Amino acid sequence: MKIELSNYSKVIKRRTVLDHVNCIFYSGNIYGLYGRNGSGKTMLLRAISGLIYGTHGKVVIDGKVLHKDISFPKSMGVIIENTNLLPNYDAYTNLKILSNIKKIASDNDINDALSSVGLDPSNKKKVRTYSLGMRQRLSIAQALFEDPNLLLLDEPTNALDESSVEIVRNLLLKKKEQGTLIIIASHNKEDLNILADQIIKVVDGKVILS
Amino acid sequence: MDKIKQLVITFLMLIVYCYLTPKNGSITTLYGGIPVGGNLYFFLLNYFLFAIFSFFIFESTQKYINGYGIFQLVRHQSRKKIFQLLFSELIKYILIIESLKIFCYLLLNFIQRKQLPMYHLDVLVLFFGTIFCMIVFLLIQMLLEAKYSSKISLLYTQVIYILILFGSDICLKYFPNSVINYLFLNNYMMMRHYTLLNTSFLVNTLIVTLLFVLLTSTLYLTGKHIFEEKDIL
């Protein structure tokens, strides 16, 4: 998989949130987007995921122009800010409902994804009773359980304790070895130093490759 | 607020609505609307019903463009599909509330030992009129929700509804035979109003049905366009 952003800009309410971004991402790599709050990291993830339309430029995914040839990347798992799962259902049911849309993940895939992040698939507790860390782990399971080719993760280790951070890091490294393209936005430099093959600094909507 | 709680509150509000609705042994009174020159009580009752629908539909759009909706959107791979889901949810909610309303009305008739409701042909037409009317107003609320916050869109929709509600009465009073009366949608819910227009029941039904179909299609296409062009932030 290859994702290319060419001269991509996004202006929202006269404010340039992404400014002539040019970068290429290849599968089998982990890319880290690093920058302070409001620098444009999440907006860059939204641009790649197809959630926003660019003001200028384009995103090309495997030769197909986003919003022209395709509406969204075909196989993608996301964790992005302002998302949450259904609070009145347990973890398994939440993923089961989502799995009914594409119908590519089996019950085993759901169970495996939940177990891999340290959640018990048979636990019938409703998500609204979960701690922040458990919700975050469920979000990660949600992004992973359909085994997508592209993972866009916004602050994936937020609210996780040390052991959970370790579990998630290992999971992501395993996915990378399987050829998944992973883009992580984080302000946690330690995470990115351990995980990322390339760290991309985002400053005021501009991308600085390192 | 989750849908179960919303449904329970809606049911209680419908009981109150049906209790306050005048009963003359005909289910037509449920759809009869405001009598010409009717007092404020009838206006408030009419608005109360709309408020129940509006309350039930509150935050429906936000649910699809924020939070959980993003997980669904990236899997459906289509904004259009999300709007279609939202529209079908709207129809489902309206049918649920209308069925509940009729159930509450029959239940109260039974408990209060009123005359058993009689069926009239008009009721069917008025029933669909009410459904269409709700679709139009609630679609407006949903589309506004795609642009503004849920609370702002709720407020705007209430203002639009109230203006049209009172406007229709004023218009009928000063321009009784004018076609402009057809533009006040909730007129259709007021059987006693449209029968005053100098056209037959059949012609009225056809004109208003056409108007509703046109309005619903326009709003549907507008909604689809808004969703297709919308940034999910």
Side-chain angles (χ1 to χ4, degrees), chain A residues 136 140 154-161 164-165 168-169 172 186 188 191 195:
Chain A
Q136 185 68 353
I140 293 165
D154 192 7
E155 310 282 1
T157 55
N158 255 8
L160 296 183
D161 56 36
S164 303
V165 167
V168 171
R169 281 176 185 165
L172 295 180
S186 178
N188 184 340
D191 265 349
L195 291 170

Side-chain angles (χ1 to χ4, degrees), chain A residues 10 51 53 73 82 142 146, chain B residues 67 75 77 79 228 231-232:
Chain A
K10 177 68 183 171
L51 291 172
Y53 289 87
N82 295 334
Q142 168 279 135
E146 288 170 317
Chain B
R75 285 176 171 84
Q77 308 244 311
R79 287 174 162 79
E228 276 173 4
D231 283 334
I232 311 288

